[in-house]
Amino acid sequence: MSFLLLSFITVLLPLRAFGHGGIWNYSIAGEWRPGFFPYYPAAGQSSIQRHWTDFRPIVDVSQPTIVCNDPGDFAQEYATIAVGAEVKAYYRGWPHNIGPVIVWMAFCGAEPDSCSSFNGTGRQWFKIGQAGLLSGGMRDGLWAQKHMIANQNFT
């Protein structure tokens, strides 16, 4: 099976949510796979992750950019993930430490090259992980983002 990973991070604000994020490296059943490095040129990067050209937050969850960012570019590779395999997503240089983390995956299709034309719409996405306020209060507590930054990963 072919899968594409999408990371979605939100920061809670009154009546509004901002979401953005990207995985820079993966460990899938102990095998390292590159993510996408948004500050490097896209040319020459090959990944199981969609590329994006802008790292600003997505502020309107009703827009199609919520699927795979704007404008985004297709993933060149796919990952075969066995049932029960451990998937770790590694983040670097995260810009803030307050808020929940939600990570989604989508089935690209049965063919090995199906992820190279997958735009994320009209497909079934499924959540593989989420965490919010882990302890303490809303402003001074331990949020999943702070925990993710301290460990450089979210599993």
Side-chain angles (χ1 to χ4, degrees), residues 1 3 28-29 80-87:
M1 290 191 191
F3 290 93
I28 301 171
T80 300
I81 304 171
V83 174
E86 181 180 62
V87 176

Side-chain angles (χ1 to χ4, degrees), residues 38-120:
Y39 303 113
Y40 299 170
Q45 290 193 59
S46 186
S47 175
I48 60 174
Q49 181 175 312
R50 281 182 55 94
H51 296 182
W52 64 91
T53 60
D54 196 344
F55 202 55
R56 37 170 211 228
I58 298 167
V59 297
D60 185 350
V61 296
S62 67
Q63 294 299 309
T65 55
I66 194 70
V67 175
C68 286
N69 222 327
D70 183 21
D73 209 0
F74 301 116
Q76 298 84 13
E77 299 179 18
Y78 69 97
T80 300
I81 304 171
V83 174
E86 181 180 62
V87 176
K88 289 186 178 183
Y90 289 86
Y91 300 79
R92 302 270 309 168
W94 198 254
H96 41 79
N97 64 6
I98 298 174
V101 176
I102 305 170
V103 181
W104 297 81
M105 288 179 70
F107 178 59
C108 298
E111 299 301 319
D113 65 347
S114 57
C115 289
S116 64
S117 61
F118 176 68
N119 70 5

